[in-house]
């Protein structure tokens, strides 16, 4: 899909030397591709890893997200043992 969009953009830019409306069409094409064409779930989860984000679409994505969350929790418990114990006590009440 990305190859088609890039090829179409190049064609529109080349045609834009004769008519500048083609340049606007190329920009619109790139904007729509960046906004809706790519996987938005991966970009949002990388930008803010603490937010859960949308549900994974495949089981593989779910497993990767689950394993990443487990690694974060183990690291938090290792680096902040007092806070981790306090949180565990609050959960058990």
């Amino acid at each position: 899909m990305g190859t088609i969009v890039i090829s179409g953009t190049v064609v529109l830019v080349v045609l834009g030397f004769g008519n500048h409306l083609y340049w606007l069409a190329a920009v619109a094409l790139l904007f729509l591709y960046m906004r809706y064409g790519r996987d938005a779930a991966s970009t949002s989860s990388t930008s803010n890893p603490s937010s859960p984000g949308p549900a994974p679409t495949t089981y593989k994505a779910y497993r990767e997200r689950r394993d990443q969350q487990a690694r974060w929790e183990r690291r938090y418990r290792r680096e902040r043992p007092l806070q981790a114990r306090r949180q565990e006590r609050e959960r058990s009440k």
Side-chain angles (χ1 to χ4, degrees), residues 8 14 16-18 25 28 30 33 36-37 41 52 59 61 64 67-68 74 84 86 88:
V14 169
F17 288 110
L30 286 176
Y33 177 69
Y36 301 108
Y59 184 66
E64 289 172 358
D67 294 344
Q68 179 67 41
R74 285 192 301 269
R86 180 179 48 82
E88 288 297 323

Side-chain angles (χ1 to χ4, degrees), residues 6 14 16 20-21 30 35 43 48-49 51-52 55 64-65 68-70 73-75 84-87:
I6 292 173
V14 169
H20 296 298
L21 289 177
L30 286 176
R35 178 82 176 176
T43 59
N48 190 3
S51 68
E64 289 172 358
R65 174 71 179 151
Q68 179 67 41
Q69 184 68 34
E73 289 173 1
R74 285 192 301 269
R75 181 178 179 185
R85 277 188 240 138
R86 180 179 48 82
Q87 288 177 355

